[in-house]
Amino acid sequence: MEIREITGTQLPEAMGLVWKVFLEFEAPEYSQEGVDEFKAFIDSQIAEMTIEIHGAFEGNALLGVIATRNEGSHIALFFVKKEHHNKGIGRKLFESILPITKSRIITVNSSPYAASIYRKLGFIDTDTEQLTNGIRYVPMQYLKGDTERAT
């Protein structure tokens, strides 16, 4: 498996993966407003490219993606295909962004579904579950170099 940056021509495939995994695991817990809001967000990322995206590839097959913004200080998207869950791909994607993140603190607004995954990576909740425009999320943060966090 190789982790590499996703560029313009690969962006539609990456956003397609994000959308498919979102529909499968997160959309069932969202209102239609939240589903529509998330779709508008990923569509805007294709048009505006305001995020930096890395993908996990096996050959030419895209297995998962992680996207950051604000010089890597915020995770905007983090999705792995169902058939590749629990194989360490998410951890490798996350670890791939750590060296390029300029901030010591990395934040994420985790879906309720993914919150336990982020906690396994060392994130801590910074607030209770929130709801904005139909999007449910738990604000979380990761402190780079914090050796006392749970793993």
Side-chain angles (χ1 to χ4, degrees), residues 30-45:
Y30 279 44
S31 66
Q32 187 60 50
E33 177 190 21
V35 171
D36 293 344
E37 182 77 12
F38 186 79
K39 179 69 167 126
F41 171 75
I42 63 173
D43 287 347
S44 73
Q45 297 313 300

Side-chain angles (χ1 to χ4, degrees), residues 14 39 65 70 108 148:
K39 179 69 167 126
V65 298
N70 301 332
V108 67
E148 294 185 21

Side-chain angles (χ1 to χ4, degrees), residues 14-128:
M15 291 300 118
L17 180 151
V18 166
W19 181 240
K20 180 181 177 190
V21 175
F22 172 82
L23 288 175
E24 189 170 4
F25 292 100
E26 297 179 30
E29 302 292 324
Y30 279 44
S31 66
Q32 187 60 50
E33 177 190 21
V35 171
D36 293 344
E37 182 77 12
F38 186 79
K39 179 69 167 126
F41 171 75
I42 63 173
D43 287 347
S44 73
Q45 297 313 300
I46 294 173
E48 301 166 19
M49 200 53 192
T50 58
I51 54 178
E52 185 174 321
I53 307 174
H54 289 88
F57 290 87
E58 196 165 83
N60 289 326
L62 181 61
L63 311 179
V65 298
I66 190 166
T68 61
R69 64 174 174 244
N70 301 332
E71 298 181 322
S73 67
H74 183 78
I75 297 174
L77 299 168
F78 192 12
F79 291 86
V80 175
K81 287 182 177 179
K82 177 182 181 175
E83 60 270 23
H84 299 288
H85 285 186
N86 299 311
K87 295 181 180 178
I89 293 168
R91 181 171 294 280
K92 288 179 182 167
L93 280 164
F94 175 64
E95 289 171 353
S96 77
I97 68 160
L98 291 176
I100 58 174
T101 301
K102 295 184 179 185
S103 174
R104 184 170 179 267
I105 299 172
I106 301 171
T107 61
V108 67
N109 291 328
S110 173
S111 70
Y113 175 83
S116 64
I117 297 162
Y118 282 108
R119 289 182 192 111
K120 286 180 185 177
L121 292 172
F123 282 78
I124 58 168
D125 298 24
T126 58
D127 204 343
T128 58

